[in-house]
Amino acid sequence: MEVYLFIIFLHLLQLCIINSTQHHQWEKALKICNSAKEEFLWATLAGLALAEKSFTIAEICYGQLKEAEKLVPLAELRSQPNPQLRSFQIALFGGRLREAESALLKSGHFFRAIMLNLSVFRFERALELALNSSERQNNGNKEHLDTVIGYRQRYLDLLGHSETNSKFLKYLSQVEVDWPHIFEKIREDNAKDQRQWAATTGGTLGIPN
């Protein structure tokens, strides 16, 4: 009986938190969580804060949940001046990969969209984006193919496998994987963000080269 009443009590507190956030009463919601000291409620408030783009509140919640790995991405979200890149970061933070990719493509960050897919081993999608990027730019050199093929080969080497996918076999003999060139593209992509940030805020992002 006591457990049942406790569950009802938590549910009522959760409803109070939801109601508070709907009226933008974030301090009230924080007080409820602080008083109850229940991870379930902190997690509820964290999700609501992210949905409303209240990143400072979300940081507090994840700090209470001892999920330190989420604090740095949230700090980056708060300081991101580009609304489309912010949409990408929010979607990625929430695990919505397709939405994150869409935000990158809409903002013209084709290379980053390719790297996003490579980071989660979606090699065929990365290949598709690399080919589409070349078509958009009328670039016969297919400039991002080396990146996709390179990371695909590295992945297969780690597994001790050989390439059997015809979509990749088609380009193996056409592409020279130049890792210094690939790393330079990654640095340039970061540098582009630095320039955009500086133009918007007069500061720097502090991304390592």
mmCIF file of all heavy atoms in Angstrom, residues 3 50 65 80 106 115 135 149 168 182:
data_model
loop_
_atom_site.group_PDB
_atom_site.id
_atom_site.type_symbol
_atom_site.label_atom_id
_atom_site.label_comp_id
_atom_site.label_asym_id
_atom_site.label_seq_id
_atom_site.Cartn_x
_atom_site.Cartn_y
_atom_site.Cartn_z
ATOM 1 N N VAL A 3 3.917 1.585 -1.092
ATOM 2 C CA VAL A 3 4.566 1.726 -2.397
ATOM 3 C C VAL A 3 3.602 2.326 -3.402
ATOM 4 O O VAL A 3 3.957 3.213 -4.192
ATOM 5 C CB VAL A 3 5.082 0.357 -2.897
ATOM 6 C CG1 VAL A 3 5.607 0.475 -4.326
ATOM 7 C CG2 VAL A 3 6.168 -0.167 -1.971
ATOM 8 N N LEU A 50 14.830 20.324 -22.454
ATOM 9 C CA LEU A 50 15.396 20.185 -23.798
ATOM 10 C C LEU A 50 14.357 20.509 -24.861
ATOM 11 O O LEU A 50 14.656 21.175 -25.856
ATOM 12 C CB LEU A 50 15.927 18.767 -24.003
ATOM 13 C CG LEU A 50 17.268 18.430 -23.359
ATOM 14 C CD1 LEU A 50 17.590 16.962 -23.564
ATOM 15 C CD2 LEU A 50 18.377 19.300 -23.939
ATOM 16 N N LEU A 65 21.619 14.306 -12.102
ATOM 17 C CA LEU A 65 21.553 12.894 -12.488
ATOM 18 C C LEU A 65 22.943 12.274 -12.632
ATOM 19 O O LEU A 65 23.065 11.090 -12.943
ATOM 20 C CB LEU A 65 20.792 12.751 -13.813
ATOM 21 C CG LEU A 65 19.287 13.037 -13.745
ATOM 22 C CD1 LEU A 65 18.705 13.177 -15.145
ATOM 23 C CD2 LEU A 65 18.564 11.935 -12.982
ATOM 24 N N GLN A 80 25.729 27.976 -29.221
ATOM 25 C CA GLN A 80 25.690 27.851 -30.679
ATOM 26 C C GLN A 80 24.828 28.969 -31.285
ATOM 27 O O GLN A 80 23.614 29.017 -31.065
ATOM 28 C CB GLN A 80 25.114 26.486 -31.063
ATOM 29 C CG GLN A 80 24.918 26.271 -32.560
ATOM 30 C CD GLN A 80 26.179 26.467 -33.369
ATOM 31 O OE1 GLN A 80 26.351 27.486 -34.043
ATOM 32 N NE2 GLN A 80 27.079 25.498 -33.287
ATOM 33 N N LYS A 106 20.257 20.941 -44.645
ATOM 34 C CA LYS A 106 19.556 22.201 -44.906
ATOM 35 C C LYS A 106 20.472 23.405 -44.719
ATOM 36 O O LYS A 106 20.296 24.435 -45.373
ATOM 37 C CB LYS A 106 18.344 22.323 -43.979
ATOM 38 C CG LYS A 106 17.179 21.426 -44.368
ATOM 39 C CD LYS A 106 16.025 21.578 -43.390
ATOM 40 C CE LYS A 106 14.866 20.657 -43.758
ATOM 41 N NZ LYS A 106 13.762 20.743 -42.769
ATOM 42 N N MET A 115 30.155 12.802 -42.205
ATOM 43 C CA MET A 115 30.896 12.350 -41.028
ATOM 44 C C MET A 115 29.950 11.837 -39.940
ATOM 45 O O MET A 115 30.282 10.891 -39.213
ATOM 46 C CB MET A 115 31.758 13.489 -40.479
ATOM 47 C CG MET A 115 32.894 13.920 -41.401
ATOM 48 S SD MET A 115 34.032 12.578 -41.831
ATOM 49 C CE MET A 115 34.698 12.150 -40.220
ATOM 50 N N GLU A 135 27.421 15.792 -57.110
ATOM 51 C CA GLU A 135 26.463 16.169 -58.156
ATOM 52 C C GLU A 135 25.979 17.598 -57.966
ATOM 53 O O GLU A 135 25.822 18.352 -58.925
ATOM 54 C CB GLU A 135 25.281 15.199 -58.136
ATOM 55 C CG GLU A 135 25.636 13.797 -58.615
ATOM 56 C CD GLU A 135 24.474 12.832 -58.471
ATOM 57 O OE1 GLU A 135 23.380 13.289 -58.059
ATOM 58 O OE2 GLU A 135 24.659 11.639 -58.768
ATOM 59 N N ILE A 149 35.292 6.024 -48.377
ATOM 60 C CA ILE A 149 36.007 4.775 -48.666
ATOM 61 C C ILE A 149 37.072 4.511 -47.603
ATOM 62 O O ILE A 149 37.263 3.375 -47.149
ATOM 63 C CB ILE A 149 36.649 4.825 -50.067
ATOM 64 C CG1 ILE A 149 35.568 4.946 -51.151
ATOM 65 C CG2 ILE A 149 37.504 3.586 -50.302
ATOM 66 C CD1 ILE A 149 34.597 3.794 -51.213
ATOM 67 N N PHE A 168 30.560 -0.230 -52.886
ATOM 68 C CA PHE A 168 31.880 0.292 -52.524
ATOM 69 C C PHE A 168 32.968 -0.262 -53.441
ATOM 70 O O PHE A 168 33.935 0.440 -53.746
ATOM 71 C CB PHE A 168 32.190 -0.037 -51.061
ATOM 72 C CG PHE A 168 31.319 0.708 -50.094
ATOM 73 C CD1 PHE A 168 30.140 0.148 -49.636
ATOM 74 C CD2 PHE A 168 31.654 1.979 -49.668
ATOM 75 C CE1 PHE A 168 29.316 0.834 -48.758
ATOM 76 C CE2 PHE A 168 30.839 2.679 -48.788
ATOM 77 C CZ PHE A 168 29.660 2.105 -48.335
ATOM 78 N N ILE A 182 42.184 13.930 -45.749
ATOM 79 C CA ILE A 182 40.920 13.747 -45.033
ATOM 80 C C ILE A 182 40.933 14.535 -43.725
ATOM 81 O O ILE A 182 39.974 15.243 -43.391
ATOM 82 C CB ILE A 182 40.665 12.251 -44.760
ATOM 83 C CG1 ILE A 182 40.385 11.517 -46.081
ATOM 84 C CG2 ILE A 182 39.488 12.063 -43.795
ATOM 85 C CD1 ILE A 182 40.337 10.010 -45.958
#
